[in-house]
Amino acid sequence: MNVETALQKLKEKGYKRTKQRERILEIFVKQDQYIAAKEILKEIQNDFPGVSYDTIYRNLYMLTDVDILEATELGGEKHFRLGCDTHGHHHHFICTTCGKTKSIEFCPMDSINENLNGYDVENHKFEIYGKCPQCH
Amino acid sequence: MNVETALQKLKEKGYKRTKQRERILEIFVKQDQYIAAKEILKEIQNDFPGVSYDTIYRNLYMLTDVDILEATELGGEKHFRLGCDTHGHHHHFICTTCGKTKSIEFCPMDSINENLNGYDVENHKFEIYGKCPQCH
DNA sequence: GTTTAAATCGTAATGATTATCAATTAACTT
DNA sequence: AAGTTAATTGATAATCATTACGATTTAAAC
C-alpha cells in the first residue's frame, strides 16, 4: 500500500489529512518491517520538533484500527508495520536482529478449528523469531 | 509439576529454597492459567507484607529461565504460568475473560520448516485467544 | 471567509518494570 | 552447633513506555 491509498482510505472513514499522518505513513511505506512506537516518534521529531506523544500513539492505534497498520508486541514494546493487504491472511517470520520480516503463507488455524468445539475464537497470533539470511 | 519437584529442580541448579519461592510456586501449581506479575505480587503480599518487587520479578524470570514457568505478554503485561512438561511441546488457547487455558496438541512449526531455508529459527509463538465454553 | 469538529501540542500522570545496596538468610563447613 | 559465605531479600528510587487532558490549532465543509 502507498501513502495516497492509505490517506484515501482515511478520508472515506472521515479522518482528516494532516502532515503528521502523511509523515507517519511515509515511514511505514518505506520500511517493510515492524517498528517500535518510539522509533516513529524519533523519526517524526526530525520534521516536527514539537510532536506530541499523544499524536503518535493515537494515530498508530487509529491506523491499526482501520487495518492500515498491523501491531504486535516485541520485547515489551508495541511495534507496528504496514498491513500487507496485497495478499490474504498470513503470518510472519521476524528477524530478531534487523527486524525485517518474511511472509509465511500458512495459517495454523485452518487445520485446528475442529479441536476447539465450544470455544469462541476471537483472535490468534503466530510469529516465528530468528535470524534472516543476511543476519545469520 | 508440584512444588516439591520444582524446588528439587532449583536445588540441582544451585538455587536456595526460600519461603517466598515456595509461595510463588504454590500459586502457580494451584492455578492452571496465565497470571500477571502484579497478581503474584498481590498474592504474596498477603503472607509477606514487605515483599519487594525485585523478589517477584527476579524469581519469575529465574523460574522461566530454568523452564519451570512459561511467559507470555497479554494486554501489555507479562504473564506467567506453570510449564506443562507432562506432555511435550504444545500451544495454548487462552480465554480472554477468565484467563484459563486449553492445550493445543499441534505445532505449526512441524510443517513449515521447508519454507524457511536460510533462516535461523530461534523461537516461535502460537496462541489462540477467545472465550472458553464457560465464559462463552 | 466562517464555522466546527477533529487533531495536535505541551505537559503531567500512570503504571509496570528495573536497579541499587544494605541487611538478612539458607546451607555448607568445621 | 556456631561460623562462614554467597545467595536472596527488603526498601526505596529510578526508568521508561504509554496514557491522559485541557488549551490551542487546523482541516475541510459550507
Side-chain angles (χ1 to χ4, degrees):
Chain A
M1 187 176 330
N2 61 35
V3 175
E4 282 309 321
T5 309
L7 285 168
Q8 182 56 34
K9 197 167 177 179
L10 286 186
K11 189 172 186 177
E12 283 161 16
K13 305 232 177 195
Y15 293 104
K16 293 180 178 171
R17 175 184 191 121
T18 69
K19 299 186 293 290
Q20 292 87 338
R21 276 180 188 156
E22 280 182 44
R23 193 69 193 81
I24 290 174
L25 287 167
E26 276 170 22
I27 292 170
F28 284 107
V29 169
K30 225 177 289 178
Q31 293 184 68
D32 185 29
Q33 60 188 267
Y34 277 107
I35 308 172
K38 71 174 174 199
E39 297 298 328
I40 302 298
L41 182 68
K42 256 196 279 181
E43 287 254 18
I44 306 280
Q45 279 175 332
N46 293 336
D47 294 1
F48 305 91
V51 238
S52 162
Y53 296 91
D54 198 56
T55 301
I56 303 302
Y57 283 98
R58 189 172 20 75
N59 278 314
L60 290 177
Y61 288 133
M62 181 273 283
L63 290 168
T64 304
D65 209 52
V66 300
D67 290 324
I68 290 175
L69 297 183
E70 293 175 24
T72 194
E73 190 103 23
L74 297 170
E77 287 176 47
K78 275 160 193 138
H79 285 62
F80 299 84
R81 59 164 290 141
L82 202 62
C84 357
D85 58 359
T86 44
H87 50 316
H89 174 77
H90 61 282
H91 295 277
H92 287 118
F93 171 95
I94 303 169
C95 179
T96 52
T97 298
C98 71
K100 289 211 186 64
T101 60
K102 169 185 164 56
S103 289
I104 303 291
E105 306 300 333
F106 164 76
C107 177
M109 293 310 291
D110 295 344
S111 50
I112 215 172
N113 281 307
E114 67 236 30
N115 296 314
L116 289 169
N117 282 329
Y119 290 79
D120 177 25
V121 174
E122 294 168 344
N123 213 339
H124 66 280
K125 180 171 204 165
F126 176 39
E127 289 180 344
I128 307 170
Y129 314 102
K131 305 290 182 226
C132 72
Q134 288 75 50
C135 296
H136 187 180
Chain B
M1 187 175 331
N2 60 35
V3 175
E4 282 309 320
T5 309
L7 285 168
Q8 182 57 33
K9 198 168 176 178
L10 287 185
K11 190 173 187 177
E12 282 161 17
K13 304 233 177 194
Y15 293 103
K16 293 180 180 171
R17 176 184 192 121
T18 70
K19 299 186 293 291
Q20 292 88 340
R21 278 181 187 154
E22 279 182 45
R23 193 70 194 79
I24 290 175
L25 287 167
E26 276 171 23
I27 292 170
F28 284 107
V29 169
K30 225 177 289 179
Q31 294 185 66
D32 187 28
Q33 58 189 270
Y34 277 107
I35 308 172
K38 71 174 174 202
E39 296 298 328
I40 302 299
L41 182 67
K42 255 196 279 180
E43 288 254 16
I44 306 278
Q45 279 175 333
N46 293 336
D47 295 0
F48 306 91
V51 239
S52 163
Y53 296 92
D54 198 56
T55 300
I56 303 302
Y57 283 99
R58 189 171 21 75
N59 279 314
L60 289 177
Y61 288 132
M62 183 271 285
L63 290 168
T64 304
D65 209 54
V66 301
D67 291 323
I68 290 175
L69 297 183
E70 291 175 25
T72 194
E73 190 105 22
L74 297 170
E77 288 176 48
K78 275 159 193 138
H79 285 61
F80 299 85
R81 60 163 290 140
L82 202 62
C84 356
D85 58 1
T86 45
H87 50 316
H89 174 78
H90 60 281
H91 296 277
H92 288 119
F93 171 96
I94 302 170
C95 179
T96 53
T97 297
C98 70
K100 289 211 186 65
T101 60
K102 169 185 162 59
S103 289
I104 304 290
E105 307 298 333
F106 164 75
C107 177
M109 292 310 292
D110 294 344
S111 51
I112 215 173
N113 281 307
E114 66 237 30
N115 296 314
L116 288 167
N117 281 329
Y119 291 79
D120 176 25
V121 174
E122 294 167 345
N123 212 339
H124 66 279
K125 180 170 202 165
F126 175 40
E127 289 179 344
I128 307 169
Y129 314 101
K131 305 290 182 226
C132 71
Q134 287 78 49
C135 297
H136 187 178

